[in-house]
Amino acid sequence: MKSIKILIVLITVMGCRNDNFLLDSTPPLFTIPPIPIAQVSSFIPFGQFLTPTQQNPAIEYFGNQSDIPVVSVSEGIVVDVRRNPTIDDFEIWIKPSNNATWLIIYDHVVEVTISKGDQVQTGSLLGTIGLGNRVELQVNDDQNIAHCPLQFGTSSFIQQHKNLYEEWCVEETVMP
């Protein structure tokens, strides 16, 4: 009787297993910025207050011209391309792998060159810098907490940013 109870418990546990065991929690690795640092005229740091209650969940890059290419900072799979509801440009959502817990969001992109389901490599063209000559780079985890993109950068990625300005992130994480 005891072995039957154990078997029932095992069947129940296996049948209700948590699919989180199948998730890939490997963080992305950023090797290049989404636009050339030499073409960044200004930026809004990650974590800076945009309003009294909202902090910037991304690094917002402002370019010095309107035709700057936006490229993928790492490899991954395009999981969504969506039009912004109030601005005439797009968000591109990329995961490092199909079952990744991390989500990389490029906001304010026009002339989008990729589609949902596409595999991208580091440096793949995603489109052109959006309205107002800006693009945002945001990294969310599976709890929908935004993390400073520099936390995922190679030493070269970080140094390129710090050569322009030291403080790209005023917080490590924020709620988007």
Side-chain angles (χ1 to χ4, degrees):
M1 186 67 162
K2 187 173 186 177
S3 60
I4 292 175
K5 286 181 181 179
I6 291 173
L7 183 58
I8 290 172
V9 168
L10 283 174
I11 290 171
T12 303
V13 168
M14 294 303 290
C16 296
R17 78 174 195 273
N18 187 340
D19 284 338
N20 286 337
F21 292 115
L22 304 175
L23 295 178
D24 178 4
S25 61
T26 306
L29 181 63
F30 301 161
T31 57
I32 59 173
I35 64 171
I37 290 294
Q39 292 189 283
V40 174
S41 58
S42 65
F43 68 97
I44 300 174
F46 177 90
Q48 180 173 313
F49 277 94
L50 302 173
T51 69
T53 59
Q54 181 191 13
Q55 291 177 279
N56 189 13
I59 291 177
E60 189 163 356
Y61 301 83
F62 290 90
N64 57 13
Q65 60 192 53
S66 62
D67 61 348
I68 300 171
V70 175
V71 300
S72 180
V73 298
S74 64
E75 62 183 38
I77 298 161
V78 179
V79 295
D80 202 2
V81 177
R82 56 178 65 181
R83 181 172 291 282
N84 276 312
T86 58
I87 300 173
D88 194 22
D89 59 19
F90 293 86
E91 286 184 13
I92 299 170
W93 293 17
I94 296 177
K95 286 191 163 206
S97 65
N98 278 325
N99 57 344
T101 60
W102 295 98
L103 176 64
I104 305 161
I105 301 170
Y106 302 81
D107 196 7
H108 307 298
V109 180
V110 296
E111 300 175 16
V112 174
T113 60
I114 45 82
S115 300
K116 184 176 179 178
D118 286 353
Q119 177 77 39
V120 296
Q121 301 303 314
T122 301
S124 291
L125 180 65
L126 303 177
T128 306
I129 197 166
L131 298 181
N133 296 346
R134 67 180 174 156
V135 66
E136 295 178 21
L137 177 62
Q138 180 173 334
V139 185
N140 290 3
D141 63 22
D142 59 346
Q143 304 299 307
N144 199 35
I145 296 173
H147 294 255
C148 174
L150 264 59
Q151 294 174 3
F152 304 94
T154 62
S155 58
S156 173
F157 178 89
I158 294 167
Q159 193 59 53
Q160 287 180 63
H161 285 78
K162 291 195 176 209
N163 285 345
L164 181 65
Y165 190 78
E166 189 67 27
E167 290 296 320
W168 288 82
C169 302
V170 295
E171 298 287 345
E172 291 185 20
T173 60
V174 301
M175 292 300 293

